[in-house]
Amino acid sequence: MRALRILLEKEFRQIFRNPAILRLMFMMPTVQLLFLPLAADYEVKHVNVCVVDYDRSPYSHRLVNKIKATDYFQLVDYTDSYDKALRQLARDEADVVVQISDGFERSLVRENEATVFLAVNAVNGVKANLGGAYMRAVISDFNNEVRVEWAPPQGMNLQPVIGVEAINWYNPLMNYKIFMVPGIVVILVTMVGGFLSALNIVKEKEVGTIEQINVTPIHKYQFILGKLIPFWVLGLIILTIGLFISWVAYGIVPVGSLLTIYVFAAAYLLAVLGMGLGVSTLANNQQQAMLISFFLMMIFILLGGLYTSIDSMPRWAQVVTWFNPVTYFIEVMRMVVLKGSTLYDIRMHIGIVLLMAVVLNGFAVLNYRKRS
Amino acid sequence: MTTAIQVDHISKGFTTGKEKVSAVKDVTFTVGKGELFGLVGPDGAGKTTLFRILTTLLLADSGSASVDGFDVVKDVQSIRKRVGYMPGKFSLYPDLTVAENLAFFATLFNTSLKENYDLVRAIYHQIEPFEKRKAGALSGGMKQKLALSCALIHRPSVLFLDEPTTGVDAVSRKEFWELLRGLQAAGISILVSTPYMDEASLCDRVALMQEGKIMDINSPQGITANFTKPLYAIRSRNMYELMRALQQHEAVESCYPFGQQHHVVFKDDRLRPDDIRTLVTPLAGDGLEVERIQPTIEDSFMDLMHQ
């Protein structure tokens, strides 16, 4: 026990003597949480639209005005040359080209139908997709307006229409920040825990201090515990800072209890740190450890369900996410923060993460050899 | 029991890429209790590998070894408790202070500086004024002293010092060897390695190592006494020409530079200094000096290497 205590004492001393780590610990959550959610916005705004109006009639003007009136679109050009518009698309000045054909009004009035042609720049997939969808929504809205105006005075709707009304549970305003911020907190905790622990044992290898430790009679598990505990504490501190910032800056207060989050985080950190320490025992120098961790971290983050929905991933990717601890934490965070889930609701998640912790730490202890 | 270290036919090889390099080849020697034993050899002779095997950091491919009566494979924990190891590379925590490093290693061995102060006093006394300084900010000689203090803090019965004086200035080296004598007097058996031949004469016994093999084990006097061939120190104005001429001469067994002179070993031990002078004169230019000298450890080493 004395050995473990002095190991911990030494580890904390080294951490607090390293101003870079301390600065990073406070800077990272602050910057990531204050600025990233503003930038990582899923709503697409400022889609540049170029309208090619061959008709130039009152109705086509009405449609253009409607497009201009929304927040989502920015009219960059109003022209009568489709070629010119396409050139703008090629130069990336326009994202969407709307072509209103000659005789738009006439065929709308006479034949009760008219065509509008949409050309979308799909280089930026998300923008193209959403921009196109918005545009279709605007046009269909315009269509409805016109139909209401022309409907028989009795107000009888000749063609029955099914309207869909949706209610968004748990996040009624679909505020993406409530959805993103807890996820970013998870990424933060994972990065700090994963990287710091991965670099630590390797550093002792590089400096050569591990030789000196290896000739002492301390046990392997004591050494690993001496590495695990300090970063476990650091991880929980980062989590606290993250939750504090999301409360102050975004007013996000978990619907569920904080205790639930901390209990899960405690188990989760064991798994992440076990992975880091495992990497640390595998690598021979800090560069290797950094690259391996980076590789794993990229996969964990991209397949963690923060940026893309797991349900829409291909089957094999979904299988990969089962082995991704980040997936479970992001899910738990959202469940607790948005829905108020309790410890009982997340018992499966805790169980799986604890199992990961046992496997990964077991690997770290076994793979750390005092003798080569 | 009178042996501190027993090494029995130890071999160890490493694979680098496809090549297999054997670092230690069938090495056997014993170090007595309280002895100051030196492993002398150039870089790459296998000294560090041997140290790592004896301090339980590395497994040998074949052979057996024991330290203080404990087997290096089976009784690992017992050995770790009674052995002090100072690696060739400074390997204490540079971001911890002198006092913190010492306290850390003392606690890992379940002891304290106070308990063993009498043993480390002579060494620690010199770095005590810098107690609060970070170990990384110490000078080379001070680092060595701190490392030695840390290796001694648990009162080991056997001390392993891997090239403790490499990269240390001449004064500090001399001081260091005096400290080792003091530790020996306190009853500690010491195995020390060094690439410096002049330090070999400060040991009780030395093993000369070259390319993983031990060439000779003896007391420093014994090693030089075995060297019976005529050895001359020769110098002239044009040392380079002289060296080439001597190396090609049929009466010369070997010739190598030694400081400001060339040391030359002749094949025929009946040659007298006057014969040598007449033999060398035509080879050398002006300023020829010839002197018969007593062999040093280095001369013995060079001789053994050529055999």
Side-chain angles (χ1 to χ4, degrees):
Chain A
M1 270 301 98
R2 263 188 81 200
L4 183 58
R5 222 180 59 207
I6 192 92
L7 275 169
L8 291 176
E9 214 180 294
K10 172 217 130 205
E11 214 61 55
F12 275 116
R13 263 209 188 104
Q14 289 184 305
I15 290 168
F16 287 115
R17 256 179 219 167
N18 192 337
I21 288 191
L22 283 182
R23 239 174 276 146
L24 205 77
M25 269 181 57
F26 291 94
M27 285 289 288
M28 248 170 72
T30 318
V31 172
Q32 293 214 9
L33 282 172
L34 288 185
F35 299 110
L36 280 192
L38 300 178
D41 187 338
Y42 273 147
E43 289 181 67
V44 172
K45 286 179 186 159
H46 315 301
V47 177
N48 294 325
V49 182
C50 182
V51 176
V52 184
D53 191 354
Y54 288 128
D55 196 41
R56 306 237 172 203
S57 61
Y59 271 105
S60 77
H61 278 278
R62 246 178 89 182
L63 177 59
V64 172
N65 280 335
K66 204 167 165 56
I67 292 170
K68 267 184 359 197
T70 74
D71 227 12
Y72 300 113
F73 297 115
Q74 223 162 15
L75 191 66
V76 288
D77 200 8
Y78 181 72
T79 168
D80 50 11
S81 156
Y82 182 67
D83 289 339
K84 192 180 160 210
L86 266 191
R87 272 201 299 280
Q88 279 180 326
L89 200 72
R91 280 201 300 271
D92 216 17
E93 282 161 12
D95 300 307
V96 180
V97 173
V98 182
Q99 186 192 242
I100 302 169
S101 50
D102 189 16
F104 173 78
E105 187 183 58
R106 197 178 28 170
S107 57
L108 191 66
V109 174
R110 283 207 198 138
E111 287 150 44
N112 234 339
E113 65 175 43
T115 37
V116 172
F117 177 74
L118 276 187
V120 181
N121 178 1
V123 171
N124 181 341
V126 176
K127 208 170 182 184
N129 221 342
L130 288 171
Y134 289 156
M135 190 55 83
R136 273 189 290 279
V138 169
I139 293 170
S140 105
D141 201 38
F142 173 75
N143 187 21
N144 278 341
E145 269 178 40
V146 174
R147 285 178 51 185
V148 168
E149 284 171 26
W150 295 349
Q154 287 83 3
M156 284 261 288
N157 208 341
L158 295 178
Q159 287 152 307
V161 171
I162 297 174
V164 178
E165 290 277 322
I167 296 174
N168 300 308
W169 274 90
Y170 309 121
N171 188 359
L173 297 175
M174 283 288 267
N175 182 346
Y176 75 95
K177 282 183 192 116
I178 296 182
F179 181 71
M180 285 299 284
V181 172
I184 293 179
V185 172
V186 170
I187 301 278
L188 267 173
V189 172
T190 313
M191 281 198 359
V192 171
F195 281 125
L196 288 185
S197 59
L199 289 177
N200 193 277
I201 295 182
V202 151
K203 191 176 159 203
E204 299 233 5
K205 279 189 199 170
E206 250 182 35
V207 183
T209 45
I210 200 131
E211 292 271 276
Q212 208 65 269
I213 294 269
N214 286 350
V215 290
T216 68
I218 67 158
H219 296 286
K220 292 202 288 185
Y221 75 89
Q222 289 176 323
F223 183 71
I224 295 284
L225 270 182
K227 295 289 177 191
L228 189 75
I229 295 170
F231 294 112
W232 187 78
V233 173
L234 277 192
L236 290 179
I237 292 175
I238 294 279
L239 176 68
T240 310
I241 297 175
L243 290 175
F244 180 76
I245 292 178
S246 40
W247 171 56
V248 172
Y250 304 102
I252 297 174
V253 180
V255 179
S257 98
L258 279 175
L259 181 75
T260 314
I261 294 178
Y262 276 91
V263 167
F264 182 83
Y268 172 80
L269 274 167
L270 290 180
V272 170
L273 295 175
M275 183 194 75
L277 294 176
V279 168
S280 210
T281 58
L282 275 177
N284 292 320
N285 52 50
Q286 296 197 49
Q287 214 169 31
Q288 281 177 12
M290 197 69 196
L291 286 173
I292 299 174
S293 306
F294 206 81
F295 168 75
L296 291 173
M297 213 58 88
M298 278 301 264
I299 295 178
F300 284 175
I301 291 173
L302 288 179
L303 293 182
L306 176 63
Y307 298 109
T308 43
S309 162
I310 290 172
D311 295 324
S312 52
M313 287 178 192
R315 183 74 190 155
W316 61 265
Q318 290 189 19
V319 172
V320 173
T321 62
W322 297 343
F323 300 95
N324 181 356
V326 176
T327 312
Y328 296 99
F329 199 6
I330 289 184
E331 213 170 291
V332 164
M333 269 299 233
R334 287 175 177 166
M335 281 167 79
V336 176
V337 171
L338 296 175
K339 220 161 91 180
S341 298
T342 59
L343 275 175
Y344 182 76
D345 298 321
I346 60 161
R347 63 190 186 284
M348 274 291 287
H349 295 76
I350 294 182
I352 292 170
V353 167
L354 275 180
L355 189 72
M356 286 181 179
V358 170
V359 171
L360 289 166
N361 285 296
F363 171 77
V365 172
L366 288 180
N367 197 46
Y368 163 52
R369 291 218 172 75
K370 289 181 80 177
R371 163 147 60 185
S372 54
Chain B
M1 200 178 57
T2 50
T3 46
I5 304 170
Q6 171 87 47
V7 179
D8 227 355
H9 300 289
I10 285 276
S11 293
K12 174 74 188 175
F14 296 102
T15 22
T16 48
K18 277 180 189 161
E19 226 176 322
K20 194 157 164 62
V21 184
S22 58
V24 175
K25 297 170 195 159
D26 197 30
V27 164
T28 301
F29 67 91
T30 42
V31 177
K33 268 252 154 85
E35 197 175 16
L36 176 55
F37 191 95
L39 272 180
V40 183
D43 291 345
K47 303 184 301 274
T48 300
T49 306
L50 207 50
F51 270 91
R52 289 169 54 88
I53 291 170
L54 291 174
T55 49
T56 75
L57 292 175
L58 198 65
L59 269 180
D61 293 339
S62 62
S64 64
S66 66
V67 174
D68 225 8
F70 293 99
D71 189 272
V72 291
V73 180
K74 282 179 250 145
D75 310 316
V76 171
Q77 213 56 356
S78 314
I79 290 184
R80 284 179 185 156
K81 274 184 197 142
R82 65 191 67 229
V83 155
Y85 175 42
M86 178 175 156
K89 187 182 156 207
F90 179 72
S91 47
L92 299 174
Y93 293 96
D95 48 351
L96 294 186
T97 66
V98 167
E100 284 165 352
N101 264 301
L102 212 53
F104 176 68
F105 285 102
T107 314
L108 287 190
F109 282 107
N110 214 3
T111 177
S112 66
L113 176 60
K114 228 186 258 166
E115 262 176 78
N116 295 313
Y117 193 77
D118 59 304
L119 184 67
V120 294
R121 191 186 54 217
I123 307 153
Y124 190 62
H125 182 68
Q126 300 175 29
I127 44 174
E128 218 162 4
F130 311 106
E131 235 180 11
K132 294 219 157 49
R133 191 180 287 188
K134 302 243 173 80
L138 291 174
S139 70
M142 291 291 177
K143 275 182 182 161
Q144 298 299 84
K145 278 168 199 152
L146 174 59
L148 184 60
S149 305
C150 283
L152 281 172
I153 194 68
H154 57 296
R155 203 176 274 279
S157 53
V158 184
L159 192 58
F160 291 90
L161 307 171
D162 191 6
E163 300 202 2
T165 54
T166 299
V168 177
D169 68 87
V171 177
S172 299
R173 271 168 63 187
K174 191 165 166 292
E175 238 176 53
F176 199 87
W177 279 92
E178 277 160 18
L179 287 174
L180 293 192
R181 281 285 169 202
L183 292 174
Q184 194 189 8
I188 297 176
S189 318
I190 303 172
L191 179 66
V192 58
S193 76
T194 176
Y196 303 124
M197 303 286 165
D198 55 324
E199 287 183 344
S201 54
L202 301 168
C203 302
D204 294 334
R205 282 197 306 147
V206 292
L208 300 184
M209 257 189 114
Q210 160 81 1
E211 286 176 354
K213 279 186 285 212
I214 289 188
M215 301 188 296
D216 196 9
I217 303 177
N218 213 327
S219 64
Q221 300 77 21
I223 283 182
T224 49
N226 280 341
F227 192 102
T228 49
K229 291 169 204 154
L231 177 72
Y232 286 84
I234 300 176
R235 63 180 300 181
S236 80
R237 286 254 166 79
N238 196 340
M239 293 296 274
Y240 182 66
E241 292 293 317
L242 180 66
M243 159 87 83
R244 290 186 48 152
L246 282 168
Q247 274 175 343
Q248 276 157 19
H249 199 279
E250 54 187 8
V252 173
E253 185 176 298
S254 66
C255 167
Y256 43 88
F258 199 104
Q260 307 243 312
Q261 304 156 322
H262 291 326
H263 279 193
V264 188
V265 185
F266 290 93
K267 284 177 185 156
D268 191 347
D269 54 9
R270 287 163 306 179
L271 288 170
R272 308 190 56 78
D274 289 340
D275 303 332
I276 301 289
R277 189 170 277 278
T278 40
L279 194 148
V280 176
T281 308
L283 303 174
D286 305 331
L288 178 68
E289 283 171 41
V290 177
E291 185 193 355
R292 170 130 203 191
I293 49 165
Q294 287 305 309
T296 63
I297 300 263
E298 185 160 352
D299 295 308
S300 303
F301 192 92
M302 296 299 281
D303 186 47
L304 288 165
M305 237 174 74
H306 287 136
Q307 279 170 13

